[in-house]
Amino acid sequence: MEKLDKHDKHTKLEKLEKIEKSDKYEKLETYPKQVAIHDHQKVIYKADVNHAKHVRDIRSKINPVCGSYMHRHVCVETVDGHKYTGVIVHVDERCLYLQCAWQDPRGFMPYNAILPLVLFELLVIALL
């Protein structure tokens, strides 16, 4: 095992930090990302390439729509049939964040919660 002096360690650490920063801000348009699967690994599910593209298309269409209705009261229905009402407080490339008022079933004071909803699972968003 080779010994590194303090300068070498510092240089390697700087290089790693630069790599991490460049990966952190990688653009979303670099799809499709490939996952390294080795010969000894058994693939149990692989999404169809067209499906992955469709999901990205939905996210890119719905994101600006949700962003233009920030801080508005909405009703959201998911593809599973769940309905939520609340205020859109944030949207990013993957989720819509809905601030919902929840009533405690024991009769205590209502409280607020931020509910992240995955963009491609949203079926309907309606203004209230």
Side-chain angles (χ1 to χ4, degrees):
M1 188 173 194
E2 75 178 83
K3 284 190 168 186
L4 300 173
D5 64 7
K6 288 183 181 179
H7 178 71
D8 289 338
K9 286 181 184 178
H10 185 69
T11 304
K12 284 190 174 190
L13 182 60
E14 285 178 345
K15 287 179 183 177
L16 286 173
E17 287 175 350
K18 286 180 184 176
I19 291 170
E20 287 176 1
K21 285 181 183 177
S22 66
D23 288 345
K24 185 177 180 181
Y25 298 107
E26 182 179 310
K27 291 187 176 188
L28 294 175
E29 290 77 30
T30 59
Y31 289 101
K33 289 188 178 184
Q34 297 294 321
V35 177
I37 302 292
H38 301 287
D39 293 333
H40 66 278
Q41 293 176 323
K42 181 179 178 182
V43 176
I44 58 173
Y45 172 76
K46 184 175 180 182
D48 180 37
V49 176
N50 293 330
H51 172 72
K53 183 183 180 320
H54 186 65
V55 168
R56 285 191 302 275
D57 289 344
I58 290 171
R59 284 194 315 214
S60 68
K61 288 178 186 175
I62 197 170
N63 189 304
V65 171
C66 293
S68 63
Y69 290 98
M70 291 287 289
H71 309 293
R72 299 283 301 267
H73 199 83
V74 295
C75 179
V76 177
E77 184 177 348
T78 66
V79 294
D80 297 324
H82 300 288
K83 292 183 181 178
Y84 304 99
T85 58
V87 176
I88 299 174
V89 293
H90 183 71
V91 180
D92 61 24
E93 64 274 355
R94 303 208 188 287
C95 290
L96 165 79
Y97 296 89
L98 197 65
Q99 182 177 14
C100 303
W102 299 90
Q103 180 66 41
D104 190 323
R106 297 171 291 179
F108 295 119
M109 296 292 290
Y111 58 93
N112 288 325
I114 305 292
L115 184 64
L117 299 170
V118 180
L119 289 179
F120 67 86
E121 289 188 354
L122 304 181
L123 188 59
V124 177
I125 302 172
L127 290 174
L128 295 179

